[in-house]
Amino acid sequence: MTRWRWHLLFAALVGAGLRLFFVLRCPAESGDAPVYEALAANWLQHGSYALLLDGRIIPVDIRVPGYPAFLAILYTLTGRTGTAARLWVMLAQIVVDLGTCFLAAVLAGLLSLRADGRSWPHRVFAAALWLAVTCPFTANYTAVPLTEVLATFFTTAALVPVVMLAGRAQDKGVPMVKKAWAFGNGYWFLGILGAVLAGIGTLVRPETPLLLFASWAVLGFLLFLQRRLGRWVKTVFLMALAFAVPLLPWAARNAITLHKLQFVAPRHAELPGELVPWGFIAWEKTWLVRFRDVYLVSWKLDEEPIAMEDIPPSAFDSPEERERVAELIAKHNESVTITQDVDDAFAQLARERTARHPLRTHLWIPVERVFTLWFAPRTELLEISGHIWPPAKSWDVDPLDFSISFGFFLLNFAYVGLAAIGAACLYRASPAGIAGAKAGLALIVVFILVRTVFLTTIETPEPRYVLECFPAVLALAAQAWNRQRSSTGSG
């Protein structure tokens, strides 16, 4: 075995060790995990994608079927279900997540290779691999039965061909049949492969199509500059068809079983006939920016009483408004259920607050949510509070807790800062004009921006929702090692 292969093996072992640490020492619980486990178990036992509701097995569409299918396969292989199979699920997720690490390294290598056209950039590949295998933010999600590990894998897998596709968009009109290896690196093949992988990823996380939207935007710009909009229309059409193929069985099932055309899942994962609290959600969007408030307010709705003292002062513009909210919260707490009239009253509050401060609702709150999504300490799966403000008080309360929280906070900034440096290095190393690596860089940046903007519009700013971007962030961060490459390009 060559020295390089030993290096890769050692990195993989370090990554596996970190993930095993989280699985064995810090296994996490999540409110969504029992739902996925029940869907998988009922699928196997009753042959129906369903939940037990009111004593009956009822077919549902509240979650896309990708992750329950993953669980069902593992349940079949292990002969265990639910909590009894969780260790096996977590071990499988370690393997999947290590695969994501190698895909991130491949993505980094492809970007660097497109920048100068020399031999494979071993140093950049290795840097991305080490950054990925040692990243605790993605590693700790192997220790919980949630979609993040699988969704991140398919998002990264789709990113590799679409980034290559952006580079190949510079190839002017060469027919696919004339490629040296048409079904390995041809323009159309890359587009179809990326779209199919995005389609499979959509069966795990329904916002995965944002990657396709980002790729279409970048390709449209590149082909517009070349005055080849017809090629762009054909690209979008073929990719859309390829993307839809993995979703067709799910859509057909919903049409036949539930009598509705549903390609993903309901926007708020509601059960049939369940009230969607649109008014409450709209009201939260006028003030909710901290993840801790999601625990204290959002996730208590229809589950347990909400304490007024847990709602931050920013949720009220006046004492009178606070009283109105207190009355509505009291009505909710009586039955621990939000009724239509209470939800309508929250909707009215949301309209009034937005009318008084439209920039707050439509600009400042989303901007603050961006910081929550990207720069939270990411300790939500650990027995760590994540509290770092005010630092002196947090230190006095629990020095160890504060140290870990602050360390994760700084690490978050380090990853993003290093990605910015790497992006600048990649841009400078690329040929003049918009080609190759610059096209791939543009696609990654647009994807991250599109996904981030979308996430600021949903009801709760959960930091885990940007984990799907982290392999791309680390691939960009690895470009900082591009400056250290030898003139031979051997790394």
Side-chain angles (χ1 to χ4, degrees):
M1 185 178 288
T2 65
R3 180 180 178 183
W4 175 246
R5 290 176 180 174
W6 278 113
H7 184 84
L8 298 183
L9 177 60
F10 182 58
L13 290 175
V14 170
L18 175 63
R19 285 152 181 79
L20 276 173
F21 170 80
F22 283 118
V23 166
L24 299 178
R25 295 295 300 273
C26 312
E29 294 288 337
S30 168
D32 286 343
V35 176
Y36 290 117
E37 291 170 340
L39 287 169
N42 289 330
W43 204 350
L44 287 177
Q45 296 168 7
H46 303 285
S48 177
Y49 193 77
L51 291 175
L52 182 64
L53 302 171
D54 298 325
R56 296 185 301 149
I57 296 294
I58 305 295
V60 295
D61 64 348
I62 64 170
R63 295 289 190 279
V64 282
Y67 192 69
F70 174 73
L71 294 179
I73 292 171
L74 294 175
Y75 291 172
T76 301
L77 293 175
T78 63
R80 304 185 181 199
T81 61
T83 55
R86 283 191 180 181
L87 178 60
W88 293 103
V89 171
M90 295 173 187
L91 293 176
Q93 290 184 162
I94 289 177
V95 176
V96 173
D97 200 44
L98 289 175
T100 304
C101 295
F102 278 90
L103 285 172
V106 169
L107 181 60
L110 288 171
L111 289 169
S112 184
L113 184 63
R114 293 292 304 199
D116 57 23
R118 297 185 292 187
S119 60
W120 183 255
H122 293 77
R123 188 184 297 274
V124 171
F125 181 95
L129 181 60
W130 277 104
L131 286 171
V133 298
T134 58
C135 178
F137 303 143
T138 53
N140 69 348
Y141 269 88
T142 60
V144 62
L146 282 177
T147 60
E148 270 59 42
V149 169
L150 209 59
T152 304
F153 174 83
F154 281 110
T155 298
T156 312
L159 259 176
V160 170
V162 297
V163 164
M164 294 175 67
L165 178 69
R168 294 301 298 268
Q170 304 299 314
D171 299 337
K172 296 192 175 181
V174 181
M176 184 176 72
V177 294
K178 293 185 180 180
K179 302 292 183 186
W181 184 25
F183 294 97
N185 62 356
Y187 176 87
W188 301 113
F189 173 79
L190 291 172
I192 290 171
L193 176 61
V196 169
L197 289 170
I200 298 172
T202 302
L203 292 174
V204 180
R205 289 290 311 175
E207 71 275 6
T208 306
L210 295 172
L211 171 58
L212 286 189
F213 299 151
S215 69
W216 293 341
V218 172
L219 288 171
F221 178 73
L222 294 174
L223 295 174
F224 173 78
L225 292 180
Q226 301 173 27
R227 299 182 179 180
R228 297 194 302 171
L229 288 181
R231 185 179 178 90
W232 178 75
V233 172
K234 183 179 178 181
T235 300
V236 172
F237 178 73
L238 290 177
M239 290 181 71
L241 286 180
F243 167 77
V245 169
L247 300 176
L248 289 177
W250 171 243
R253 175 266 182 188
N254 291 334
I256 295 170
T257 304
L258 305 179
H259 309 294
K260 63 179 180 179
L261 188 60
Q262 179 74 49
F263 278 86
V264 284
R267 174 70 177 81
H268 295 283
E270 70 272 12
L271 292 168
E274 188 176 24
L275 173 67
V276 177
W278 296 107
F280 187 84
I281 292 170
W283 173 68
E284 283 190 318
K285 287 183 178 180
T286 67
W287 62 268
L288 180 61
V289 296
R290 298 185 306 175
F291 185 48
R292 62 178 296 187
D293 294 328
V294 173
Y295 285 98
L296 297 174
V297 182
S298 303
W299 289 348
K300 287 187 176 182
L301 190 72
D302 286 340
E303 296 290 337
E304 55 184 294
I306 299 172
M308 276 299 297
E309 55 268 26
D310 287 337
I311 302 177
S314 59
F316 321 111
D317 288 339
S318 66
E320 182 271 337
E321 185 176 312
R322 190 181 191 283
E323 287 300 317
R324 290 169 63 188
V325 171
E327 292 177 6
L328 296 175
I329 293 298
K331 290 182 179 180
H332 166 269
N333 292 347
E334 287 176 3
S335 58
V336 195
T337 303
I338 187 167
T339 58
Q340 187 63 63
D341 61 322
V342 171
D343 191 57
D344 291 342
F346 274 116
Q348 179 60 32
L349 278 169
R351 286 191 292 269
E352 293 172 8
R353 287 173 58 82
T354 299
R356 282 194 298 269
H357 301 287
L359 286 180
R360 176 179 62 188
T361 298
H362 300 303
L363 179 60
W364 303 125
I365 295 296
V367 167
E368 290 185 63
R369 285 184 168 204
V370 169
F371 282 90
T372 294
L373 291 166
W374 278 101
F375 300 111
R378 302 187 186 280
T379 58
E380 60 268 18
L381 294 184
L382 306 176
E383 294 182 358
I384 302 294
S385 71
H387 297 167
I388 58 177
W389 305 109
K393 181 178 179 181
S394 298
W395 173 267
D396 289 339
V397 171
D398 191 332
L400 179 60
D401 184 284
F402 171 79
S403 298
I404 296 175
S405 298
F406 191 62
F408 274 36
F409 175 74
L410 292 179
L411 184 61
N412 221 341
F413 265 97
Y415 284 141
V416 176
L418 195 57
I421 294 171
C425 293
L426 182 65
Y427 187 86
R428 288 196 299 267
S430 302
I434 300 177
K438 288 183 179 177
L441 172 61
L443 195 151
I444 289 175
V445 170
V446 171
F447 164 62
I448 292 173
L449 290 176
V450 167
R451 186 176 179 89
T452 301
V453 170
F454 171 78
L455 293 176
T456 64
T457 67
I458 64 176
E459 53 269 29
T460 54
E462 297 184 54
R464 68 187 175 105
Y465 290 152
V466 298
L467 285 179
E468 286 81 352
C469 299
F470 259 74
V473 168
L474 300 179
L476 291 181
Q479 305 306 314
W481 276 260
N482 201 28
R483 297 173 297 178
Q484 304 174 29
R485 292 175 56 190
S486 67
S487 59
T488 63
S490 63

